[in-house]
Amino acid sequence: MAQIPHADKGMICPLHKLDMSKVCHCCPLWIMVRGKHPQTNADVDGWNCALAWLPVLMIENSQQQRGTAAAVESFRNEVASASQTSNATLAALMALAPPPPGNIQELVDGR
């Protein structure tokens, strides 16, 4: 199992009301995050309280949601365009086909 580092001295944990260096390494909210900061694009690789990471992670989540929404909109536009092309092709083919013989209701009823 990886070594969980202690927090820096001087800050007070809002949950335990003790110095963070004494309690954070035992707390399940003490987590490591590795990646890119969503606002500065700087590398992030460190331990901190999950409550402290929340604003950064929420910003990243919002950016990912915007990207997903753009991809879904693009896909919708492609599907709509393909549907219009398909409908136009079908209409052109129906215009070329000869009309059915007799009354269409007779064909449906099987007479």
XYZ file of all heavy atoms in Angstrom:
833
model
N 0.843 -1.178 0.000
C 0.000 0.000 0.000
C 0.888 1.240 0.000
O 1.926 1.286 0.634
C -0.917 -0.017 1.226
C -1.941 1.075 1.220
S -3.163 0.735 2.492
C -3.418 2.365 3.064
N 0.471 2.281 -0.718
C 1.241 3.512 -0.822
C 1.247 4.267 0.498
O 0.295 4.197 1.265
C 0.661 4.401 -1.919
N 2.334 4.968 0.722
C 2.430 5.805 1.917
C 1.549 7.028 1.741
O 1.638 7.715 0.735
C 3.881 6.255 2.131
C 4.756 5.202 2.741
C 4.468 5.037 4.231
O 3.680 5.758 4.822
N 5.108 4.057 4.828
N 0.710 7.280 2.708
C -0.148 8.465 2.676
C 0.565 9.555 3.469
O 0.818 9.398 4.664
C -1.536 8.169 3.270
C -2.226 7.086 2.442
C -2.374 9.429 3.327
C -3.548 6.608 3.001
N 0.909 10.658 2.808
C 1.670 11.699 3.509
C 0.800 12.500 4.469
O -0.413 12.563 4.335
C 2.158 12.584 2.363
C 1.144 12.403 1.286
C 0.666 10.986 1.406
N 1.465 13.103 5.428
C 0.796 13.995 6.370
C 0.615 15.357 5.717
O 1.388 15.750 4.851
C 1.634 14.152 7.641
C 1.686 12.910 8.464
N 1.150 12.844 9.721
C 2.189 11.670 8.217
C 1.332 11.630 10.212
N 1.970 10.904 9.310
N -0.405 16.075 6.132
C -0.629 17.438 5.640
C 0.391 18.377 6.260
O 1.038 18.054 7.259
C -2.040 17.890 5.995
N 0.540 19.552 5.666
C 1.419 20.576 6.233
C 0.830 21.085 7.542
O -0.393 21.157 7.703
C 1.592 21.735 5.246
C 2.321 21.310 3.977
O 3.097 20.338 4.050
O 2.097 21.952 2.931
N 1.705 21.472 8.434
C 1.252 21.988 9.738
C 0.693 23.394 9.582
O 1.073 24.131 8.679
C 2.415 22.021 10.729
C 2.868 20.662 11.153
C 3.959 20.744 12.192
C 4.360 19.320 12.550
N 5.294 19.264 13.626
N -0.238 23.728 10.462
C -0.736 25.089 10.529
C -2.188 25.269 10.135
O -2.837 26.193 10.584
N -2.716 24.378 9.318
C -4.121 24.519 8.929
C -4.977 23.633 9.823
O -4.579 22.536 10.194
C -4.315 24.166 7.456
C -3.607 25.145 6.542
S -4.058 25.001 4.814
C -5.790 25.214 4.833
N -6.159 24.094 10.153
C -7.073 23.367 11.030
C -8.127 22.659 10.176
O -8.743 23.261 9.304
C -7.769 24.328 12.026
C -6.732 25.097 12.836
C -8.747 23.597 12.926
C -5.852 24.232 13.709
N -8.316 21.383 10.441
C -9.340 20.598 9.735
C -10.717 21.073 10.179
O -11.011 21.110 11.374
C -9.159 19.118 10.052
S -10.476 18.086 9.374
N -11.598 21.415 9.220
C -12.933 21.880 9.603
C -13.813 20.765 10.177
O -14.773 21.044 10.884
C -13.511 22.422 8.304
C -12.761 21.747 7.226
C -11.395 21.460 7.775
N -13.488 19.527 9.910
C -14.290 18.416 10.430
C -13.825 17.965 11.809
O -14.641 17.749 12.705
C -14.247 17.237 9.456
C -14.781 17.506 8.053
C -14.564 16.291 7.167
C -16.247 17.863 8.095
N -12.513 17.795 11.961
C -11.969 17.267 13.213
C -11.575 18.367 14.200
O -11.310 18.078 15.362
C -10.749 16.388 12.925
C -11.058 15.212 12.066
N -11.792 14.142 12.505
C -10.749 14.947 10.769
C -11.911 13.260 11.534
N -11.293 13.715 10.466
N -11.482 19.604 13.724
C -11.102 20.751 14.564
C -9.707 20.577 15.186
O -9.442 21.023 16.287
C -12.127 20.997 15.684
C -13.553 21.122 15.206
C -13.764 22.375 14.409
C -15.249 22.550 14.124
N -15.568 22.907 12.802
N -8.823 19.890 14.459
C -7.444 19.677 14.889
C -6.509 20.100 13.759
O -6.937 20.284 12.618
C -7.201 18.204 15.233
C -7.994 17.621 16.404
C -7.823 16.118 16.450
C -7.553 18.262 17.706
N -5.228 20.196 14.081
C -4.241 20.508 13.051
C -4.283 19.405 11.982
O -4.293 18.211 12.302
C -2.845 20.599 13.672
C -1.840 21.170 12.703
O -1.463 20.450 11.754
O -1.447 22.336 12.876
N -4.306 19.809 10.722
C -4.435 18.851 9.621
C -3.288 17.844 9.599
O -3.476 16.693 9.197
C -4.525 19.584 8.281
C -5.866 20.272 8.073
S -5.987 21.232 6.551
C -5.773 20.012 5.294
N -2.093 18.266 10.026
C -0.945 17.353 9.999
C -1.130 16.176 10.964
O -0.474 15.150 10.816
C 0.338 18.108 10.336
O 0.282 18.611 11.655
N -2.030 16.296 11.920
C -2.254 15.232 12.898
C -3.383 14.279 12.497
O -3.422 13.143 12.970
C -2.572 15.839 14.262
C -1.442 16.649 14.859
C -1.839 17.146 16.222
C -0.961 18.218 16.770
N 0.372 17.993 17.050
N -4.305 14.729 11.650
C -5.488 13.899 11.379
C -5.679 13.514 9.911
O -6.294 12.487 9.632
C -6.786 14.598 11.867
C -6.798 14.712 13.369
C -6.979 15.942 11.219
N -5.174 14.280 8.984
C -5.531 14.048 7.575
C -5.054 12.706 7.025
O -5.756 12.081 6.246
C -5.019 15.191 6.705
S -6.040 16.659 6.856
N -3.875 12.257 7.411
C -3.361 10.994 6.876
C -4.221 9.798 7.297
O -4.130 8.733 6.706
C -1.900 10.798 7.281
C -1.705 10.698 8.756
N -1.746 11.804 9.583
C -1.487 9.622 9.554
C -1.557 11.416 10.834
N -1.404 10.105 10.846
N -5.083 9.978 8.277
C -5.992 8.911 8.733
C -7.410 9.085 8.184
O -8.246 8.203 8.344
C -6.073 8.907 10.252
S -4.501 8.606 11.055
N -7.675 10.215 7.563
C -9.036 10.548 7.130
C -9.312 9.990 5.729
O -8.468 10.097 4.833
C -9.199 12.077 7.126
S -10.842 12.621 6.622
N -10.492 9.402 5.490
C -10.821 8.899 4.155
C -11.004 10.014 3.122
O -11.003 9.745 1.921
C -12.124 8.124 4.362
C -12.688 8.619 5.638
C -11.550 9.114 6.468
N -11.147 11.254 3.572
C -11.273 12.369 2.629
C -9.922 12.885 2.149
O -9.863 13.757 1.294
C -12.064 13.516 3.271
C -13.527 13.218 3.582
C -14.160 14.389 4.310
C -14.289 12.906 2.318
N -8.843 12.383 2.691
C -7.493 12.787 2.293
C -7.131 11.990 1.042
O -6.854 10.803 1.094
C -6.511 12.515 3.441
C -5.133 13.051 3.236
C -4.000 12.311 3.070
C -4.721 14.411 3.206
N -2.920 13.126 2.930
C -3.338 14.428 3.008
C -5.398 15.618 3.312
C -2.607 15.605 2.922
C -4.667 16.785 3.225
C -3.302 16.776 3.036
N -7.192 12.639 -0.119
C -7.041 11.930 -1.396
C -5.936 12.549 -2.244
O -5.558 13.706 -2.068
C -8.359 11.922 -2.200
C -8.792 13.344 -2.553
C -9.447 11.172 -1.453
C -9.942 13.410 -3.535
N -5.470 11.763 -3.184
C -4.462 12.228 -4.137
C -5.136 12.468 -5.480
O -5.917 11.645 -5.953
C -3.366 11.186 -4.300
C -2.286 11.597 -5.252
S -1.077 10.288 -5.339
C -0.094 10.885 -6.655
N -4.831 13.596 -6.082
C -5.349 13.917 -7.414
C -4.155 14.149 -8.322
O -3.203 14.846 -7.964
C -6.270 15.164 -7.371
C -6.648 15.604 -8.768
C -7.515 14.865 -6.564
N -4.225 13.551 -9.516
C -3.145 13.683 -10.494
C -3.769 14.041 -11.834
O -4.755 13.440 -12.244
C -2.421 12.343 -10.591
C -1.069 12.402 -11.217
C -0.405 11.047 -11.199
N 0.224 10.850 -9.894
C 0.583 9.683 -9.425
N 0.343 8.591 -10.098
N 1.167 9.583 -8.256
N -3.241 15.044 -12.491
C -3.760 15.441 -13.800
C -3.399 16.879 -14.119
O -2.349 17.366 -13.724
N -4.291 17.556 -14.840
C -4.087 18.954 -15.234
C -5.123 19.827 -14.551
O -6.296 19.464 -14.476
C -4.239 19.113 -16.747
C -3.224 18.362 -17.571
C -2.018 19.204 -17.787
C -1.072 18.487 -18.750
N 0.207 19.122 -18.779
N -4.683 20.986 -14.088
C -5.607 21.945 -13.480
C -6.476 22.505 -14.602
O -5.963 22.925 -15.645
C -4.834 23.066 -12.782
C -5.689 23.902 -11.897
N -6.562 24.843 -12.390
C -5.821 23.927 -10.541
C -7.172 25.433 -11.381
N -6.755 24.886 -10.247
N -7.805 22.517 -14.449
C -8.688 22.925 -15.552
C -8.596 24.405 -15.918
O -8.968 24.770 -17.030
C -10.084 22.579 -15.043
C -9.964 22.514 -13.566
C -8.565 22.088 -13.284
N -8.100 25.249 -15.028
C -8.019 26.675 -15.344
C -6.636 27.094 -15.813
O -6.505 27.917 -16.709
C -8.435 27.515 -14.133
C -9.910 27.390 -13.836
C -10.305 28.204 -12.622
O -9.637 28.183 -11.601
N -11.399 28.935 -12.757
N -5.592 26.521 -15.221
C -4.235 26.944 -15.568
C -3.518 25.950 -16.467
O -2.469 26.264 -17.009
C -3.397 27.129 -14.288
O -3.279 25.862 -13.626
C -4.024 28.146 -13.363
N -4.038 24.762 -16.597
C -3.444 23.671 -17.363
C -2.103 23.230 -16.776
O -1.322 22.563 -17.431
C -3.306 24.044 -18.845
C -3.372 22.815 -19.724
O -4.008 21.823 -19.375
N -2.707 22.863 -20.856
N -1.827 23.629 -15.535
C -0.613 23.198 -14.853
C -0.788 21.765 -14.362
O -1.903 21.327 -14.075
C -0.322 24.118 -13.672
N 0.302 21.034 -14.283
C 0.245 19.669 -13.763
C -0.137 19.698 -12.285
O 0.363 20.511 -11.521
C 1.592 18.974 -13.925
C 1.897 18.626 -15.372
O 0.936 18.467 -16.148
O 3.078 18.522 -15.717
N -1.034 18.802 -11.919
C -1.458 18.654 -10.525
C -1.097 17.242 -10.102
O -1.432 16.275 -10.788
C -2.985 18.873 -10.381
C -3.445 18.547 -8.979
C -3.360 20.269 -10.785
N -0.393 17.134 -9.008
C -0.007 15.828 -8.475
C 0.211 16.009 -6.980
O 1.302 16.340 -6.538
C 1.265 15.330 -9.156
C 1.658 13.937 -8.689
O 0.844 13.280 -8.012
O 2.782 13.505 -9.004
N -0.845 15.839 -6.205
C -0.683 16.063 -4.785
C -1.843 15.569 -3.962
O -2.895 15.201 -4.477
N -1.622 15.576 -2.661
C -2.608 15.151 -1.688
C -3.286 16.363 -1.092
O -2.648 17.371 -0.822
C -1.926 14.364 -0.575
C -1.429 13.027 -1.008
C -0.254 12.756 -1.638
C -2.079 11.781 -0.830
N -0.138 11.415 -1.874
C -1.254 10.782 -1.382
C -3.290 11.397 -0.256
C -1.590 9.441 -1.374
C -3.620 10.063 -0.250
C -2.774 9.093 -0.805
N -4.585 16.261 -0.879
C -5.333 17.311 -0.207
C -6.681 16.727 0.209
O -7.056 15.629 -0.220
C -5.530 18.525 -1.115
C -5.702 19.814 -0.343
O -5.984 19.798 0.846
N -5.544 20.926 -1.031
N -7.405 17.476 0.978
C -8.734 17.051 1.414
C -9.685 17.060 0.212
O -9.628 17.962 -0.636
C -9.228 18.004 2.498
S -10.849 17.552 3.141
N -10.547 16.071 0.138
C -11.515 16.009 -0.953
C -12.382 17.256 -0.988
O -12.786 17.708 -2.067
C -12.389 14.762 -0.812
N -12.651 17.831 0.169
C -13.449 19.062 0.207
C -12.701 20.214 -0.466
O -13.314 21.076 -1.090
C -13.813 19.415 1.645
C -14.639 18.366 2.391
C -14.841 18.780 3.840
C -15.950 18.124 1.696
N -11.380 20.229 -0.347
C -10.589 21.273 -0.994
C -10.498 21.053 -2.503
O -10.384 22.005 -3.268
C -9.185 21.313 -0.389
N -10.563 19.793 -2.938
C -10.493 19.496 -4.375
C -11.820 19.757 -5.078
O -11.858 19.877 -6.301
C -10.106 18.030 -4.608
C -8.669 17.689 -4.390
C -8.179 16.777 -3.507
C -7.519 18.220 -5.067
N -6.824 16.713 -3.578
C -6.388 17.585 -4.537
C -7.349 19.167 -6.059
C -5.101 17.868 -4.971
C -6.066 19.458 -6.498
C -4.965 18.820 -5.956
N -12.917 19.823 -4.357
C -14.242 19.939 -4.984
C -14.368 21.070 -6.003
O -14.851 20.831 -7.112
C -15.337 20.062 -3.927
C -15.848 18.743 -3.370
C -16.870 18.994 -2.268
C -16.429 17.879 -4.446
N -13.966 22.306 -5.713
C -14.123 23.358 -6.725
C -13.369 23.062 -8.025
O -13.896 23.266 -9.121
C -13.561 24.604 -6.033
C -13.680 24.317 -4.580
C -13.484 22.845 -4.434
N -12.154 22.544 -7.900
C -11.357 22.228 -9.088
C -12.024 21.110 -9.890
O -12.143 21.189 -11.120
C -9.923 21.824 -8.682
C -9.122 21.339 -9.874
C -9.225 22.981 -7.993
N -12.487 20.087 -9.193
C -13.119 18.959 -9.876
C -14.460 19.352 -10.505
O -14.827 18.844 -11.572
C -13.289 17.789 -8.917
C -11.979 17.185 -8.402
C -12.261 16.117 -7.356
C -11.147 16.636 -9.540
N -15.168 20.262 -9.873
C -16.438 20.722 -10.451
C -16.205 21.546 -11.715
O -16.978 21.450 -12.675
C -17.224 21.523 -9.410
C -17.764 20.645 -8.289
S -18.538 21.576 -6.975
C -20.034 22.095 -7.770
N -15.153 22.345 -11.735
C -14.808 23.096 -12.952
C -14.462 22.135 -14.077
O -14.925 22.283 -15.210
C -13.643 24.073 -12.672
C -14.105 25.182 -11.737
C -13.092 24.651 -13.971
C -12.977 26.020 -11.166
N -13.664 21.120 -13.774
C -13.296 20.119 -14.777
C -14.539 19.384 -15.283
O -14.695 19.155 -16.482
C -12.300 19.129 -14.183
C -11.974 17.940 -15.069
C -11.254 18.315 -16.350
O -10.708 19.426 -16.441
O -11.258 17.482 -17.274
N -15.431 19.032 -14.380
C -16.657 18.342 -14.759
C -17.495 19.207 -15.697
O -18.042 18.714 -16.691
C -17.447 17.976 -13.498
C -18.671 17.160 -13.805
O -19.641 17.666 -14.350
N -18.630 15.894 -13.444
N -17.594 20.494 -15.418
C -18.361 21.408 -16.275
C -17.752 21.483 -17.673
O -18.473 21.496 -18.673
C -18.413 22.802 -15.661
O -19.127 22.778 -14.461
N -16.430 21.515 -17.739
C -15.772 21.549 -19.047
C -16.048 20.269 -19.833
O -16.308 20.315 -21.038
C -14.266 21.756 -18.873
C -13.899 23.130 -18.407
C -12.411 23.290 -18.147
O -11.672 22.301 -18.055
N -11.979 24.530 -18.006
N -16.021 19.131 -19.159
C -16.305 17.864 -19.829
C -17.754 17.804 -20.305
O -18.033 17.290 -21.393
C -16.001 16.688 -18.894
C -14.541 16.538 -18.554
C -13.682 16.230 -19.759
O -14.098 15.534 -20.685
N -12.482 16.772 -19.769
N -18.670 18.325 -19.517
C -20.082 18.339 -19.912
C -20.298 19.212 -21.141
O -21.090 18.861 -22.021
C -20.953 18.821 -18.760
C -21.104 17.811 -17.659
C -21.995 18.305 -16.542
O -22.649 19.330 -16.642
N -22.027 17.563 -15.453
N -19.602 20.351 -21.213
C -19.736 21.206 -22.391
C -19.224 20.481 -23.634
O -19.822 20.563 -24.709
C -18.981 22.524 -22.188
C -19.733 23.512 -21.319
C -19.093 24.889 -21.349
N -17.832 24.939 -20.629
C -17.711 25.136 -19.333
N -18.778 25.302 -18.581
N -16.518 25.176 -18.770
N -18.124 19.757 -23.499
C -17.595 18.985 -24.623
C -18.556 17.894 -25.067
O -18.753 17.667 -26.264
N -19.168 17.223 -24.112
C -20.135 16.174 -24.429
C -21.364 16.762 -25.113
O -21.868 16.195 -26.097
C -20.547 15.426 -23.150
O -19.386 14.858 -22.555
C -21.557 14.334 -23.451
N -21.834 17.893 -24.627
C -23.004 18.535 -25.234
C -22.717 18.931 -26.678
O -23.568 18.763 -27.560
C -23.420 19.758 -24.426
N -21.521 19.426 -26.943
C -21.154 19.807 -28.313
C -21.107 18.573 -29.215
O -21.562 18.618 -30.369
C -19.808 20.522 -28.312
N -20.582 17.463 -28.707
C -20.521 16.234 -29.501
C -21.921 15.699 -29.794
O -22.201 15.258 -30.918
C -19.692 15.182 -28.766
N -22.807 15.754 -28.810
C -24.184 15.281 -29.016
C -24.897 16.164 -30.033
O -25.613 15.661 -30.911
C -24.952 15.245 -27.676
C -26.439 15.042 -27.898
C -24.397 14.150 -26.784
N -24.699 17.468 -29.950
C -25.334 18.371 -30.919
C -24.821 18.111 -32.326
O -25.595 18.078 -33.290
C -25.071 19.823 -30.532
C -25.739 20.804 -31.484
C -25.458 22.253 -31.132
O -24.722 22.517 -30.175
O -25.995 23.121 -31.841
N -23.533 17.893 -32.465
C -22.953 17.590 -33.777
C -23.537 16.282 -34.329
O -23.887 16.202 -35.515
C -21.441 17.479 -33.651
O -20.865 17.069 -34.858
N -23.649 15.263 -33.482
C -24.227 13.988 -33.914
C -25.682 14.167 -34.322
O -26.126 13.619 -35.333
C -24.107 12.958 -32.786
C -24.677 11.618 -33.141
C -24.054 10.807 -34.071
C -25.843 11.168 -32.541
C -24.580 9.572 -34.398
C -26.377 9.941 -32.868
C -25.749 9.141 -33.793
N -26.440 14.959 -33.565
C -27.834 15.222 -33.903
C -27.936 15.882 -35.269
O -28.790 15.531 -36.086
C -28.486 16.117 -32.846
C -29.999 16.257 -33.052
C -30.557 17.589 -32.606
N -30.275 18.721 -33.425
C -30.846 19.038 -34.593
N -31.710 18.233 -35.149
N -30.553 20.128 -35.228
N -27.062 16.829 -35.545
C -27.081 17.505 -36.839
C -26.774 16.534 -37.976
O -27.377 16.620 -39.049
C -26.095 18.674 -36.836
C -26.533 19.792 -35.920
O -27.703 19.884 -35.547
N -25.595 20.632 -35.526
N -25.832 15.619 -37.759
C -25.511 14.617 -38.783
C -26.702 13.693 -39.045
O -27.022 13.381 -40.187
C -24.294 13.789 -38.351
C -22.994 14.539 -38.366
C -22.548 14.915 -39.766
O -22.784 14.123 -40.700
O -21.983 16.008 -39.926
N -27.363 13.264 -37.976
C -28.525 12.380 -38.122
C -29.661 13.114 -38.839
O -30.314 12.549 -39.717
C -28.981 11.839 -36.750
C -30.329 11.144 -36.852
C -27.938 10.895 -36.193
N -29.905 14.367 -38.494
C -30.962 15.142 -39.142
C -30.662 15.319 -40.625
O -31.554 15.204 -41.469
C -31.122 16.494 -38.457
N -29.400 15.587 -40.960
C -29.009 15.754 -42.364
C -29.198 14.448 -43.143
O -29.719 14.447 -44.261
C -27.547 16.209 -42.437
O -27.104 16.249 -43.765
N -28.781 13.334 -42.546
C -28.952 12.037 -43.202
C -30.427 11.706 -43.381
O -30.834 11.144 -44.405
C -28.254 10.948 -42.396
N -31.252 12.064 -42.401
C -32.687 11.810 -42.492
C -33.315 12.617 -43.623
O -34.149 12.094 -44.381
C -33.359 12.149 -41.158
O -34.746 11.963 -41.248
N -32.910 13.873 -43.748
C -33.441 14.702 -44.839
C -33.038 14.138 -46.200
O -33.855 14.084 -47.125
C -32.948 16.139 -44.699
C -33.609 16.900 -43.583
C -33.036 18.302 -43.424
O -31.985 18.620 -43.956
N -33.748 19.139 -42.675
N -31.808 13.699 -46.334
C -31.339 13.114 -47.589
C -32.108 11.841 -47.909
O -32.530 11.621 -49.051
C -29.834 12.811 -47.503
O -29.139 14.013 -47.190
C -29.297 12.234 -48.799
N -32.314 11.011 -46.887
C -33.055 9.769 -47.080
C -34.503 10.045 -47.493
O -35.041 9.392 -48.398
C -33.019 8.958 -45.785
O -33.809 7.812 -45.898
N -35.130 11.010 -46.834
C -36.509 11.357 -47.183
C -36.614 11.900 -48.598
O -37.560 11.567 -49.326
C -37.068 12.377 -46.188
C -37.341 11.767 -44.831
O -37.382 10.557 -44.689
N -37.486 12.619 -43.830
N -35.652 12.719 -48.997
C -35.674 13.266 -50.353
C -35.480 12.167 -51.387
O -36.147 12.156 -52.436
C -34.586 14.339 -50.503
N -34.586 11.219 -51.117
C -34.363 10.098 -52.035
C -35.608 9.241 -52.148
O -36.016 8.841 -53.256
C -33.181 9.246 -51.549
O -32.027 10.072 -51.431
C -32.885 8.107 -52.495
N -36.247 8.954 -51.025
C -37.470 8.148 -51.032
C -38.586 8.857 -51.788
O -39.322 8.231 -52.571
C -37.905 7.852 -49.596
C -39.104 6.930 -49.424
C -38.863 5.585 -50.084
C -39.410 6.753 -47.959
N -38.728 10.162 -51.603
C -39.752 10.923 -52.325
C -39.492 10.894 -53.826
O -40.426 10.758 -54.627
C -39.786 12.359 -51.821
N -38.227 10.999 -54.235
C -37.890 10.955 -55.661
C -38.202 9.585 -56.249
O -38.724 9.482 -57.368
C -36.419 11.302 -55.861
N -37.906 8.534 -55.506
C -38.206 7.184 -55.992
C -39.709 6.954 -56.104
O -40.187 6.308 -57.058
C -37.597 6.139 -55.063
C -36.087 5.966 -55.153
C -35.583 5.030 -54.060
C -35.688 5.447 -56.516
N -40.464 7.466 -55.157
C -41.916 7.309 -55.216
C -42.516 8.078 -56.381
O -43.502 7.650 -56.975
C -42.545 7.760 -53.892
C -42.257 6.811 -52.741
S -42.965 7.352 -51.191
C -44.692 7.150 -51.514
N -41.912 9.209 -56.725
C -42.406 9.996 -57.862
C -42.160 9.262 -59.173
O -42.937 9.407 -60.127
C -41.737 11.367 -57.881
N -41.099 8.451 -59.236
C -40.772 7.720 -60.458
C -41.600 6.446 -60.614
O -41.789 5.953 -61.723
C -39.283 7.360 -60.473
C -38.303 8.519 -60.589
C -36.873 8.008 -60.474
C -38.496 9.263 -61.902
N -42.072 5.890 -59.509
C -42.809 4.636 -59.565
C -44.197 4.855 -60.161
O -44.836 5.879 -59.931
C -42.941 4.054 -58.158
N -44.676 3.880 -60.943
C -46.030 4.013 -61.490
C -47.059 3.868 -60.381
O -46.810 3.215 -59.377
C -46.127 2.845 -62.481
C -45.130 1.851 -61.993
C -44.026 2.638 -61.355
N -48.206 4.494 -60.553
C -49.248 4.374 -59.531
C -49.758 2.936 -59.469
O -49.748 2.221 -60.469
C -50.335 5.338 -60.001
C -50.087 5.538 -61.450
C -48.624 5.330 -61.683
N -50.202 2.486 -58.312
C -50.697 1.123 -58.197
C -51.992 0.974 -58.999
O -52.763 1.910 -59.148
C -50.942 0.936 -56.707
C -51.062 2.320 -56.157
C -50.248 3.200 -57.035
N -52.218 -0.224 -59.545
C -53.430 -0.438 -60.342
C -54.674 -0.458 -59.448
O -54.644 -0.957 -58.331
C -53.203 -1.805 -60.972
C -52.273 -2.502 -60.044
C -51.408 -1.427 -59.455
N -55.762 0.112 -59.938
C -57.038 0.074 -59.239
C -57.041 0.897 -57.970
O -56.216 1.765 -57.741
N -58.012 0.568 -57.162
C -58.215 1.270 -55.910
C -57.260 0.702 -54.861
O -57.179 -0.502 -54.672
C -59.672 1.093 -55.469
C -60.008 1.929 -54.245
O -59.134 2.446 -53.580
N -61.301 2.033 -53.988
N -56.551 1.548 -54.171
C -55.584 1.104 -53.157
C -56.267 0.358 -52.024
O -55.697 -0.572 -51.452
C -54.753 2.312 -52.632
C -53.451 1.836 -51.953
C -55.513 3.095 -51.588
C -52.434 1.371 -52.882
N -57.510 0.726 -51.708
C -58.246 0.043 -50.643
C -58.518 -1.397 -51.011
O -58.494 -2.283 -50.159
C -59.562 0.789 -50.345
C -60.250 0.309 -49.069
C -59.398 0.504 -47.821
O -58.768 1.543 -47.651
N -59.371 -0.491 -46.953
N -58.722 -1.673 -52.320
C -58.924 -3.054 -52.748
C -57.674 -3.887 -52.486
O -57.757 -5.062 -52.113
C -59.284 -3.098 -54.234
C -60.645 -2.518 -54.537
C -60.902 -2.455 -56.048
O -60.034 -2.884 -56.819
O -61.980 -1.972 -56.408
N -56.490 -3.290 -52.684
C -55.258 -4.019 -52.437
C -55.096 -4.300 -50.940
O -54.668 -5.386 -50.534
C -54.046 -3.199 -52.909
C -53.913 -3.043 -54.427
C -52.770 -2.101 -54.742
C -53.670 -4.392 -55.065
N -55.459 -3.331 -50.105
C -55.351 -3.513 -48.669
C -56.309 -4.585 -48.182
O -55.957 -5.432 -47.359
C -55.601 -2.169 -47.937
C -55.684 -2.358 -46.436
C -54.532 -1.150 -48.292
N -57.537 -4.571 -48.689
C -58.548 -5.531 -48.267
C -58.322 -6.905 -48.885
O -58.916 -7.880 -48.434
C -59.942 -5.034 -48.644
C -60.327 -3.784 -47.858
O -59.731 -3.553 -46.784
O -61.223 -3.068 -48.315
N -57.483 -7.012 -49.902
C -57.205 -8.291 -50.532
C -58.236 -8.719 -51.555
O -58.418 -9.890 -51.821
N -58.951 -7.761 -52.133
C -59.947 -8.110 -53.144
C -59.354 -8.130 -54.518
O -58.429 -7.555 -54.897
C -61.093 -7.075 -53.136
C -61.934 -7.184 -51.911
C -63.134 -6.297 -51.990
N -62.919 -5.170 -51.084
C -63.503 -4.002 -51.175
N -64.331 -3.760 -52.163
N -63.305 -3.079 -50.321
